[in-house]
Every structure is written in structure tokens, then in C-alpha cells.
Amino acid sequence: MSIGVCYFPEHWPEERMEADVERMADAGLEYVRMGEFAWARMEPEPGTYDFEWLDRAVSLIGEYGMRAVLCTPTASPPKWLVDEHPGILQEEADGTTRHYGGRRHYCYNSEEYRRETRRITEKLAERYADNPTVAGWQTDNEYGCHGTLRCYCDDCAGAFRDWLREKYGDVDELNEKWGTEFWSQTLNSFAQVDPPRHTAADHHPSRLLDYDRFSSDSVVEYNRLQVEILREANDEWFVTHNFMSHDDLDAYDVAADLDFASWDSYPTGHVQVQREAVSNDELRAGNPDNLGLDHDLYRSAANAPFWVMEQQPGDINWPPYSPQPGEGAMRLWALYAVARGADVVSYFRWRRCRMGQEQYHSGLLDGDGTPDRGYRDAVDAASDLDELASVAGDDADGSSLSTPDADVALLHDYDNLWALDIEPMTPDFDYWRHVETYYAALRERSVHVDVVPPTAELAEYDAVVAPTLYLVTDELAETLTSYVEGGGELLVTMRSGVKDAYDKLHDAAQPGPLRSLVGADVEQHESVPDAMDGTVVYDGREFGCRVWNEWLSPAEEGAEVTGRYDGTMADGTPAIVRNAVGDGSVTYVGTWPDSDLAGAVVGDLLDRAGVETTDAFPAHVRVSRRGGLTWIANFGGDSMSVDAPADAEWALGGSTVGPYDVAVTDADPASLTPLSE
Amino acid sequence: MSIGVCYFPEHWPEERMEADVERMADAGLEYVRMGEFAWARMEPEPGTYDFEWLDRAVSLIGEYGMRAVLCTPTASPPKWLVDEHPGILQEEADGTTRHYGGRRHYCYNSEEYRRETRRITEKLAERYADNPTVAGWQTDNEYGCHGTLRCYCDDCAGAFRDWLREKYGDVDELNEKWGTEFWSQTLNSFAQVDPPRHTAADHHPSRLLDYDRFSSDSVVEYNRLQVEILREANDEWFVTHNFMSHDDLDAYDVAADLDFASWDSYPTGHVQVQREAVSNDELRAGNPDNLGLDHDLYRSAANAPFWVMEQQPGDINWPPYSPQPGEGAMRLWALYAVARGADVVSYFRWRRCRMGQEQYHSGLLDGDGTPDRGYRDAVDAASDLDELASVAGDDADGSSLSTPDADVALLHDYDNLWALDIEPMTPDFDYWRHVETYYAALRERSVHVDVVPPTAELAEYDAVVAPTLYLVTDELAETLTSYVEGGGELLVTMRSGVKDAYDKLHDAAQPGPLRSLVGADVEQHESVPDAMDGTVVYDGREFGCRVWNEWLSPAEEGAEVTGRYDGTMADGTPAIVRNAVGDGSVTYVGTWPDSDLAGAVVGDLLDRAGVETTDAFPAHVRVSRRGGLTWIANFGGDSMSVDAPADAEWALGGSTVGPYDVAVTDADPASLTPLSE
Amino acid sequence: MSIGVCYFPEHWPEERMEADVERMADAGLEYVRMGEFAWARMEPEPGTYDFEWLDRAVSLIGEYGMRAVLCTPTASPPKWLVDEHPGILQEEADGTTRHYGGRRHYCYNSEEYRRETRRITEKLAERYADNPTVAGWQTDNEYGCHGTLRCYCDDCAGAFRDWLREKYGDVDELNEKWGTEFWSQTLNSFAQVDPPRHTAADHHPSRLLDYDRFSSDSVVEYNRLQVEILREANDEWFVTHNFMSHDDLDAYDVAADLDFASWDSYPTGHVQVQREAVSNDELRAGNPDNLGLDHDLYRSAANAPFWVMEQQPGDINWPPYSPQPGEGAMRLWALYAVARGADVVSYFRWRRCRMGQEQYHSGLLDGDGTPDRGYRDAVDAASDLDELASVAGDDADGSSLSTPDADVALLHDYDNLWALDIEPMTPDFDYWRHVETYYAALRERSVHVDVVPPTAELAEYDAVVAPTLYLVTDELAETLTSYVEGGGELLVTMRSGVKDAYDKLHDAAQPGPLRSLVGADVEQHESVPDAMDGTVVYDGREFGCRVWNEWLSPAEEGAEVTGRYDGTMADGTPAIVRNAVGDGSVTYVGTWPDSDLAGAVVGDLLDRAGVETTDAFPAHVRVSRRGGLTWIANFGGDSMSVDAPADAEWALGGSTVGPYDVAVTDADPASLTPLSE
Ligand SMILES: [Mg+2]
Ligand SMILES: [Mg+2]
Ligand SMILES: [Mg+2]
Ligand SMILES: [Zn+2]
Ligand SMILES: [Zn+2]
Ligand SMILES: [Zn+2]
């Protein structure tokens, strides 16, 4: 539980270096990340290296009692390298070259670039292998950022053919699995496959899905190349990568090669880019569930405490709008990350940079070296964490400062994301927002959640929530059935069991392999615009539903109907069903519920599963459990109060939590009740 | 009057084939369309053919008493063909290749592709020339779909130069006709002309218009190549092509080579794509005039009963939203098509396809082979049509089951569409929607309409409605003048007589060659945004007008002013005039009227012309006449009632027509009155 | 003070020429502009020239007592030239060629095209050098129109490298000035620099800014090439260029080579393209400040009376909407231009063209040769100007018919525009609209304004208004400080002093080099969406603010706080400060004020500066001073009245000014008061 910072010594006169490092230590920082994007400084000309500036920075960091995290500089090859190897540049689907001038200007499948990558990584690994100040490494930076995950160049064409050959063995197998009979798309050889370049009509979805998988796998392979070199040099180093929020890259696959996952958290930026309507409070501090879903995802991806490798330090340059964050928001974000399982929160960056593309990105220090708003928050966060570490105790599971084992798993994976991006079937469907609807329903009741892929081990969870489990194999259906039969409580939602692993429809009606588990079929589905927003009656109450409606048809002696559409064309048709199977039960929700309906259905699920919850907290207040303590984070602009036991001890704050503030108590979450505002 | 279906036997295991065919026959289907997109199955490798699967399907269809319609598979050449002849791919105006991966990936002007087309078409024609089950052919599929009507490749460049040489003979003639003096565009040779590729500033409109004509002509020529091969093989076969709604392809020109026109009717899709604001009722069933305009256009194009070659069977994959169609809507669409003159309505497709790009397109059967909502509607439609055929009698003109001769012609053509697309002059002008405004005004009074080009023979029509007759030659002016002098009633609207046949302004003031016929000049025109919507007083009543206002100036002893702008800048200025000429008269409407004003003006026109009408029906109810019967179609979600003579016999339903239902009676349309809801 | 017209004799049969010219003279026109776009007519084939048609036109113009303005035809090279030199075509940033077909299809940096330009310009100069009817020349036409200012071709790449070499001498100097250390962008040689072509991530802002400067400089150089040839041929000719409103081309730089600036004024077009919400009045007549800013800018750019080389004559073809201009608006525009300092207003064009891209652009005559609405207005304007010339007297400064010396300078320049276009940091910031906010505040009080770059001589101005003085060097800071110390009143607004001349942040806090002058720092800035519009209390009153808020922090013994944010997060924080420095003072406004707040702040500034003003006129009425007369222009659709001294003499109209009308009086502006409507 500590605070770090991202530092670019190469951007400043060398004589300031020691003063800067000293000041970091004074501020209570413990980790300093460096080297990202510094290839041109490390190797100003081909084969001529200069690491002295970095040596000195690492050395000073050690002297001042901190540790260094180094980065491979591969996200920004210098111009001389691009001019020597112009073939490393990516291409758009329409053939346009993605030229030099920004960053991430390389193709993951370029053999030339992999060779260059190996060279610079080995050089760095070798140089710092014995340096005790270096704690570990970040590979590259934000793979796939700026839409660079998918490239359509000839190198990718060749690599895609190899990938398909490896996966399918025989082109007839590919024809069968994809279903190429449609529109005369049968292939006679792997050599006939190209990347899905610009066409007049739509591409085949199975081909697109495999291209998405191939593209993600290309990054996994490219990343592994770096990981192996670094591990070989010093096996005590940790190796991580800094993911970007809500990416199209399979974080589970990449994380399998890492010691832990880290990610770059920009709460007011992500919320604007990822959500449709954003409130003024969210513009000041972000949304705790939009943020928390990433915390929990990256924590779960490596099944280890994560790092926030870049923490928003104030106003930033890239979202549409950048209002000043709420007073204390930069501290709130750090403490909330720790509450969700972060071990280190590293602000980006030490000092606002006075040149280049990110001049409008604040730092802990302003461009003139004076402390900015984020600096004060970072100092506070560091001191709060010190304090909390001293009182944090053992969890139920005995480990110190750990997050508790989650009672609930939220199933999520990238194959579903990609397949639904290929065929959203309405402009209003968004996989991430659908997942967030259920994540919020769990978190408003203060439930601790793991965000894991459907292949995860589920037996330990009391309940499993699976929003839009789109691609379902027989094997997965069996896993889920065993889980429920063994007493698990499962929630599955609309658009589940639609496709097989190759993005083809199942032979059976939707939910395909899940039919007998769910105990109902989907008779019809429809997408509806806002003007057709509807109503569902559940538990005698009316709720809203929208975007996608499925008309359910329970099997004989199958599921019980617990929710029905009300009014309009589907009046009285089942919308939500529950099926008792073995010692557990499965609920299927055939529409996109409003947050109240999601809350009601999830609440009932948790009751049946015996998961301990709180009353529902307002959407801007979230309660977490870590280190034997209960953390209450208020992302709103007004104070909020909880009713707590009289003997509750407050390690931070008290029962009234100020705007953008955090309180920490030893009281159990279930003993807390939100007081109405 | 029968029902058919589109069937893709190649998508399913061969052992299901007979069961499927038997079930089609049981459902009352009479035609089965096949072969579309099956090139890769027909010719898996260059020169290696496999037609056995198709032979067997045709044979079974015959055995079960149905007939087959076959398609040439040229809309989707296999990848091996593209790899052998990469030059067949089209190019965007910016030079980007339209790659393989979807469909329609070929250039109409590629000599290589024409050679390949000839080869496969001859092979097919030869194989089935003597097969009595094969009733006829569909050429290719939906020419121009996905924006593929216009291509900008070098093959097209060469063909365009030849087309211009053929049309103009001498480049000086082209310079004169286009008016190339403007902006130094004078050409010294045909070789200097390129396709209108990407430029910074606008292209010359005359060049664009000729490119649009050339592009359409290229398709006509390409299609004729197929038609001739098929006719040569068996001259009893019909040959048709399945147009797509509201296309940029000149349907009259293509239809001239066909036995009849067919089109692919997707009411809830087209209405979303073609209209701005769509009601919930329209999302459930489409709009009867948006739909009817196409029925009447394609019927008129070949002057023959048409086919709906693909009829929407339920929810579909390509519009923004796909709500479930209203209960019975799939039957409504079939009966309404027949009422407007269709002989066969063929649902697309037999069974939802489980692979490829159209998995979200429903079929009569669901993906698991169970009947979907469309199946039930198709069975009903087939049985209704059987029933109606038995009571349908002779029309006034003596032919059985024919549509009556139309009293009114609606003039429409593609040159006007293209020229106005090139110079719309306001984002709010849309040629099709302007035509629809008048089509609706005719149809709400239950008038039977032919939709024909201005070159059609007009003498037989009591009235002619010509919305935005933009390009007008002296010859056309004379034709129209003769028509009116001979007693015809003509309605001409805003933006008429503006340009000559080469898209140049006339020497004379607008309406150019129509000035003396109209008896008025257009003094000024203006485009106005919604905030400037205006008012016209006509016949003492106030109506709305919008988008485009012309200030009319009647000639001395010319037209009578029948409508004036009211309020704002043009207060009191003539907006509508009528001119008596010989035994008839011509009305000119100088603005875009709201539907009430269009109704009033058209109503007066029909009165003068002595055309028998009904009272105005609500916008979702339409009355048609066919086979001596009167068909009332209700596209609304509520029942509607008509007041009918006591002795009316009801061949289908009765005087109260349920939602999405059709009633058929022997009563004359004029004897029916809509009862207010 | 006279009226002219743009004439294209080559578009019409030669036999009409004399009648047309005679009619121009009869209408009171004094100048006729010709030759624009006529290269293909002048040189139909390579090396074959034909100037006889132009000789004859010039000769007739002389005979009828008018003078000719000729244009070089370089904006539209003929197709034969393009086919001979395809390399002259421009390229988009993504590599797409900007093909032949519109106009402006050449790259300013093409050596081939410069050679061709020299050839045709010399030919023309030589031919008319001794012709007394030719008064002067317009070079090319609207440089940069249609987004052609920036080109990304290889010729530009080479020229850019040369330009950088010239500017920086050494690549290390460039590295230092740009700050290429960021993201490994260090360059080893000038040869490594490309144009900023398509990339995945953002380009470096310093590189972009230099590319914008280079692109503008390329035009300056290209234009100078023409100017020199023309001057050499006849040094009594004037040479001008017709700028387009609000261009990305540095008008000051180009104007430095011209005798005077001219521009093409399309009030109802520009207002739609440049402003967000446009009223119906503005759709009829434009906005006087949107228009006036250009008048004042182009007058100031060459420090000479300007010409309106093309004056909108009625409805036009290129804006989204083209309602008929208000009655008299074409005369209003001419008189208003003269009031703001125009010497000649030349309507575009003589007669509506019946071919090519601008058929929907009206002329003084309609296409059929009859007078259109603009003709009548032009005749009136010519006669009014004759009348006014006879009564116009000497100004205070003694020169006849001159505009007065401005009391106030509005600082504006293109470097700021470009740098802010590169980093607007919110979709709602627009440099021009911000400048217009302050321009309007000055003009509503009838203040005469020069629009000049920050490098202008400021000493003579009583007040200087500097909206968003974004790039500030130490030198500029010293200039401004001297100005204020010497008694000047300076207004500086948000986002000033942010960057150095290379688009890097200053070492010091914002406003950087202006800190001690302003007496305050910008503590924080934020961009805010409409939902966060705020309030500022100034002078005890509440006003609105939006888009961008800076939290100001006055230095000790620094500025006085005169405005504070009210409510929301920044409640009470200084938003506006004033600092007394020497004999003057500087006001800094840290937000985007609504028009009332801008008016209040500017009003106070003018009071302190002792500038004589009127009461605030409504936004559609503007008062100007020229030739010793006061011109009141009413851009509204209703009459407005002023309270004037009893002895005021009215040279035109009277104290009630009709819609779209102008009144001219000898009364002093300060003696006039707007009467409330
Ligand atoms: Mg269905
Ligand atoms: Mg006009
Ligand atoms: Mg800041
Ligand atoms: Zn690649
Ligand atoms: Zn082509
Ligand atoms: Zn260029």
C-alpha cells in the first residue's frame, strides 16, 4: 500500500535531478517509474547507447530510499529506426500507412521490429540486472492504445495465415468452423486469407472474430518476447504491463505472463469516453463503478494485487472536457484503488511536461516546479496509507492487508466483447455498459467481486453473474450446470448462448447449450430505440427495460416466470425466469434492465446465495473491504453519512464522509447503513 | 398470386433437403428461388464444376409440385477467381480498393469479369435448359447494393471515355454540352476525362451526371450480357432481376431487358433508412406509401405484374433497429404487394442461416428448424391468396386478376434523382421524399397510380403528377403541352424546368421550356431551414410549407394565382398557380407542401380530371383495386373501420380491419368511407 | 468609394459583350474584374495563346469609361497542363491525391507549377503592360480555399525540410526548440522530417505549428512570384489578392507584398459556416460583427482602404441554406463595407452562370439576362456612394474620405489561431469566435478598431484588446509592458502567455512572460461543457461565463480582483483582475464571458482609456465613421431609431433606419443614442 510516481528525467536539465528525487522521497513516494518512451535518448544513433542519465536517476532513487520501476521503450521507436525499417509501420484497413509522428508506430508482427525489440530489451536487462534499486519492469506502454491493436499490413497477413494454419490444421476445417458456404466464401488454401481490409459489404463475422483473436494473440506473443528476456536477466524482478482501461486487448492472456497486472487510471477521462451521459459529479471525479470494474478486472486477471501504474493527477489533455477534479479527488482515487486491491498507486507524472503532445496533462508539480493540486493529494494519500497500514489487520482468510476472497464472480471475457462489437445489431448495445449495469448492482450492496473469464474456477463463489454470455460451448454449459447443481446461484442475461466458439449460431434455439440449465428458450428477440423503452413487472413492481427484449418461453416443468413485459406488443410475455437445478438455481434476464430492476434481481440472487450485503448505497458511494477494514468512498460533491455501530473505530474520517473523501472503519460493512441525504 | 421462398440448400446437410422441400409444399409455397451466391459451390476450383446438389434440389421441387427460380451466382465470385483476376475489384473515388470479404466485389466494366460471367452463366443455362421445373432466372443480385453502383477504377475510366465518345462524337460537342468553359475545364480530347475521383473542390455537375448515367448504363450492359445467354438457352424462361428499394440504378433501363421486374422488400428496414422520423407503428410494419411507391414503380417499370423476390420474413439484420414486426405484418406485406400488382411474393429466406453475415436475419423457419412467426404468416397468406383467386373476377378492362389501368401517372426518373443528388442545395431536400409526398396524396384517396418516366406515353392518363421535373427539354415541354391541350390535368412542382438534359441551366427563366405551359416564371427561389418553415394560403385555408420556396410571377394573361405565401418576407407572393391550356390545365406548386396542402392540391386536380377517389384515408390505411376486388390494408397498430354499402361482400375480413390486417370486398373503393378512429 | 463587378466574358457569346459592358456603365459600375479561371481560354493548347477576347473586353470597358482589373488564371490550370505535369497535384495527409476536377488543384511548392505560373503571368503582364484601361491585378483566387492550404506531397516534404533548415540552421537547434525529447522524437537530420501525415496518435504540436507556418509561407512565396512579375511589367498597376473570410492563410504576410488587400464577402454564407447558432435575421443579412471583423482585418492588414473583390449579390450556392437576402441587403453590405473602409465593392458576378459548379450562385443579372434583386441594390449603392462622396468631408486627421485613425487595436494573429487549432483542448473553443466576442463589445459602442498582429506599433492606440494572446515571447511582453507603462489600457484574456514561439509551455506559470504585467498567475485552468456554464460577479452584477475557466491568483501587491466566480467549485476565486502599471493598466479576463460581461469589461476599459463611445447599440446595428460622416447600418428585419441632435443633417435616410437599411449623418457618433425598440 504505497504511492509512486512516473518520472521522465530525460525531459529536464540533469542538474535538477537530485532535487527532484529528494522531493519525491519527502513527499512519501516509494516507487519511481522511468524509461518509457526514452529509446532515442538511450540509443541516439543506431548502435550508440547512452544509459548514464538513467544510471544516475536509478542511483539517486536508491540513495533516497525508494525503488525504481523501469520500462522498455518500445512504444516509441526513434525516427532513425523507422527510416531504416519503414516496413515496421502499421497499415489501416484501407491500406493507409500509420506514419511516424505520434507513438505506437510499429506492427506487432514485424520480424524486423521484434529483432530491434530484442536488442534494446536485452541491452537494458543486462545493464540493470544487478542493480538492487530496480524493483521490476513495465513492458512497453498501453498496447493497443490509439486504435493500434489491429493492423492490416502484409506482415500481419502472413502471420494471420500462420495463426489460422496452427489453429485449424486444414483449410476444410476452417471452412466448416467459420461457415464459409455463405456468400461463396469457401477457401481453397490458407494462402487465400487476407486481413479484413476495406470492403463494400460486411465481412464474415467468424473471420473478423478470428482476426480480433489473432491480433490480441500477436500482442501476447510480442509481450512474452520482452518478458522472457527480462526474467532471464533477473528472476527476482517483477514484470508487469500497464493496460489501458476497457481495452480490446485480452488482459487475461497478457496477464498470464506477468507477475501482476497494472493499469492506467484516468477516472474523468474514461467516464467521458466510455459512457453516454455524464453528470457534473462524474466530470469532477469519475464514476466509482466505471473505475471499480477496471480495478477488479485487473486484480482478477493476474489473481494478485494490482498497481495503478498511472494515476490521473489533476486535469488531463485527452478527454473532450477537463474540468478541475473535485477537491481531494486525486487522493480519493488512490485510496479507492487500494481499497479495491491495489498495492501501489503511481501518479502520472511527476511534473507537467513543457513540450510535445501532453503539455495539457497536469503533473504532481506544475510546469514551473511548484506543487499542483495533485501533489497535495498525493502527499495526503501517502500519509493516509502509512497510517492505515499500521492499523490494518488480518482478514478472515488470515493474510495481512489482502482483499477478502470474493463471494461473487462476474463473468466477462474478450471473445464476447469482440463478437458483440462485430454484431451489436443496434447502435445502443455496448458490452461494457451492459456488464457495468450488473457490476453496479453488486457493488451498490458492497459485495466484493472477482471479474473473471468463464473459464475460471467457479466452485468457491456463492454466486456467479454472467451478463451476456454470448459465446457458449457445450463444455461451458456443463461447467455452469455443475456449478448450479452443486448449490451455486447463477445469473445469466440477454444474448447468452447465442453463438458457438466460432461465432456461428447454435443448432439449438437460444440460449443454445444453456437451454436445459435455464429451463427456457428465447422465442424472439428485438432491438428497440429509446422511443420503445418498455416496462417489466418483477416481484409486483414496475421497472424499466430497454435496447433489447427477448420473449422467453419456459420449458414444460422448466423455469418459473418471475418477470413479464407489461404493455406494448409483448404484454404479458416472460422477460425473466428462474430455474431450480440441483441445489442451486439460475436466473435468466431477457432484457436490459434499468438500474432498479438490476438491483432487485441481483439482490434476490444474493439473498438466495447467502451473500452478506449492505443496503443499497447511492450510486456515488461505494464500500470496500480490505485488510480487515471497511473503506467508504464518496465520489459525490456532497457529504454523505452512514449509520454505524456505536463502537465502530474510525481509522480515517468518521461516519460523515465529505465530498470526494474516504472514511475507513473497523466496523463490518453489513453493520453500516446509508442515511438518506 | 402465389407465395414463394428463397432457399439455400447448399447451407444445410444434404439429407435434410427432401424434408425441407416437402415442408415448403405443405406450407402452400409455389416457387423456390435458389443458386444466388453459390458460385464457390458450383465451381469449387477453376474449371471444376459441381451442380449435382442443385440438380437434386430442382428435381425435388418439381416432384413436390413447385417450380424453381434459379439465380446466376455472379454477385459473389469465389476467392480463387479474385486471386486470379485481382483487377476485377472496384475502387473508391479516393483510390482505395474495395477488397474481397463481403459481396459485390467486382467492377461491371472489367472485361475479365465479363468473360468469367459469360462462362458461368453459359454453364448454368446449358445445364438447366431442358429442365421443366425451372421457371426462370434472376440475374445476379441487387445490382449496386452497398454503394457499388459507381466504381472509379481504370477499367471504368476507359469505359467512361468510350461512353462519352459514343454519346458526343466530338470533344467540342462535349465541351459545349457540359459547359466546360467554367473554371478552365475545357477538354482537348476524350482521353483527358477521368472518373470523378477525389478532389478538394466540387466536381462539374455535368460530368458527374454523365458519370451517374454511364455507371447505370454499365450495369444495364452487364445485365444484358446475362439475359441474352439465358434467353438463348431457353426462350420460355422468364428473366428478371431483383432490384433493391430506391436504388441509384435506372430501373426502367434494366427492366427493358427483363420479362418483369422484381424487388426485395424490407418494409421496416427501408423506412428507417429512407425516412427521417419513424413512428413506432412504422418500426413494426413500415409505411404503406414508402412501400407502395416501390411496388408501383417496379410494376410500371416493366409494365407487368412484378414479383417481390425477397419479402421480409420477420426481424432482420441490417437496419439500425429491428423490433419484432407487428402481429400479422408478414402476411400484410404479402397481401399488400399482391394488391399493388405482385404475382409472386417470395419470402427471404426459408430458414435463418447459422453462419456468415446474415445470422441475425430471420427466416420462415428459425435456425433450429422450428416455424418462426413469418412461417405462420406465409402459410396464411398462401391460403388467403388461394381463396381470393377463386373469387377475384374480371376487371373493367376484361383481364382476369389484373390491376386496373391507372387513371393517374406519377412522373419520376433517375436523371432527375441524380442531378438533384449532385446539387441538392440544402441538406433537407430529398428527391424520393418529395415524390413520396405526392404519391401519398394520391394514394390516400385510393387512386391507382403508375410510376413512369417522363418519356412514357401519357395520353391515356386523366391526370399526371410531376414532382420536381428538374431536367426538361423542349421536346418534353411539347409532350406535356400536347397532353394538357388535349384535356389532361397536369401538376408540376418546385424545381421543375431548371436544367437541360446536360445539367446546365436553361437560357430562359425557370421553369425554362415549361414557362408558357405553366404561365408563370420563378422569380426567386430560396432554401430554408426548419426555423424558417412558412405558411401558404390556398383555397382560403392556411397550410405549412418548408425546405424550398419559389416566388412565382404569373405571366400577363398567364396563370391564375391559387396559393400565396403568408407572413415573413414573401408575404403575399404567389406560391401556387394554375394555368388553363387548351382543354386541360396545369398547376404549379412552388414549395414543398405539408401533407394537407399536397392533399388539397392533388384533390382539386383529381376533381378536375374526373378521377374517381375516396375520402382521404389515414396515412396508415391504403385501399387498392385488383382482380375486381377492393383491398383495404391497415398498417396501424389499432383496428380501423370503414363505412361500406350494406350489400358489400367480404372475401376476406370485414368492415373493421384489425391491426396489420387486410380486408377484401367486392364493393367499389368509392363506396367506402373511413370512419374516424 | 465605388462599385464594381466580376465579369466572365468567356462564358457568353462574344456578340453580347458590348451590350453587357454598356449596361454595366449605365448601372454606375466603375470597375470590372476579369480573367479569373480563364487559363484554358487564354491558352487552349500548350503554347498556343488566345487573348483577343480579353483584349476586346478590356477595350470596351475603357470605351465605356470604366477600368479593368485583371486576374492571373493560376487557380485553375487546364487539364492538358495537369496531364503533362501530374506531379503538381496536392496530396491529403493520408496520401490520397487531390485530383483534377474542381479548382485549386496544384501544390504551391511544385517547381513545375511555379514554372508554368511564371510563364502565363509573364505572358499576361507583357500583353497588358501598356493598356491604360487596366488598373491593376488580382493574383490567383482565394488561396487555400477548399482546404488546399496544406498539402502533404513529396514536393512539400522537400520544401518543408529546406524551410526548417533555413529557420533552425542546425537540427539540434530544432530538437531543442520543438522539444523532441518527448516520445523519442529527437531527429538526427533535417532529412528525417516528413509532413505530418496520417498517424494513429497525435502529432507533436511544435511540428504541426511549423508545418502550418511553412504552408502559409509557401503561399506567400508563391504569391510573391506573381507580384514581382506584375510589378516589373508596370509599376503603376496595383496588385492585390482576394482573401477568403477567416482563412488559415496569414493575411498579414501576404498583404505585405500587396498594394492593398481585398476579400470576398458572403455575409449569409460565412455566418452559417463560422457560427454555431444562426438567427433568421442573420440568415437574411449576416451578422455585422462577423462581417466587420473581416473588413477591419483586411483594411488593417495592408494599412490601406481595402476592396471587397467579390460581394454576395443575392442567394448563393455553397452554404447549407440560402434564403433570399433581406430586401436591400445587397446595398446594405456595400455601404457597410465602405463605412468600414472599403474603396471599391465589386459584386460577384455580373450574370448567373448557366454551366458548371456555381449555377446556383446568383448574379446581378439572372441567367436569362434580366436584372435580379442584386442589380437593383447595386445601382442604388452606386448612386448612394456618388451622393455621399459629394458631401463627405475631411476627417479629423485631414485626409479626405479616409477612415479615422483607430483609438483601439484588437490584437489577432495566425500563429495563435494555428496553435489553438492544434490544441483547442475542448470542442467548444474557437479562436475566431473568442476574438469576435471582444470585437463585438468594442463595436457595439461604435468604436473604430484596427485588427492587427501583436507585432504592430501600438503606441498610438488608447486601448489595446488582446484576446487569447496564446504565444508570447519575452520581447512581446516587453512591448506590451512599455505600452501600458506609457499610459496604455490593455485587455488580455484567458489562455494568454501559455506558450513560447515554438508552441512549448513557458518555464514560468501562465501567463508566462506576462506575469508581472498582469500581476497575477493562472493557478488552474479547466474546460467545461455547457452543463457547467458558470457565473462571474463583476462590478456587483452577475454575468455568465463558459467553455474555459482560469482560477487566478493575484501576486502580492499585484493585481486587484475585479471579478470572481460565483457558485460551484471555484466559488469566490478571482476570474478577472486589473493591474495598474506605470501610467496605464492591464485587465486580465480568465474566462469566456457572455456578451454582457464582455461589454461591461470593455466599457470600463474604454472609459479608463478616454475613448469616446456611444451607448451600446443592439447586436444588429452598427455605427461607423468615415469621411467625416457617421454611418448607421441596420442588419435587422425591423426598423430602429436613434435619438440624434436636432441639427443633425442626414446625407442618407434619417433617424429611423429601416430594415437592412443605412443612414448617414454629419452628427458625431457620440451624439447618437439607440432608442429601445
Ligand atoms: Mg425470431
Ligand atoms: Mg434569384
Ligand atoms: Mg493545473
Ligand atoms: Zn501489421
Ligand atoms: Zn471499375
Ligand atoms: Zn505539395
Side-chain angles (χ1 to χ4, degrees), chain B residues 3-48:
Chain B
I3 300 297
V5 75
C6 302
Y7 177 42
F8 296 85
E10 70 273 27
H11 292 171
W12 304 97
E14 202 160 337
E15 52 273 24
R16 299 196 190 172
M17 200 188 279
E18 181 157 5
D20 271 329
V21 173
E22 183 179 5
R23 197 170 189 178
M24 291 172 198
D26 286 351
L29 308 183
E30 300 182 25
Y31 288 91
V32 184
R33 191 199 68 169
M34 295 181 300
E36 208 192 32
F37 305 125
W39 195 333
R41 181 66 171 264
M42 293 168 174
E43 188 180 9
E45 288 178 52
T48 307

Side-chain angles (χ1 to χ4, degrees), chain A residues 191 281 290 296 512 516 633:
Chain A
D281 266 357
N290 178 261
D296 289 348
S516 70

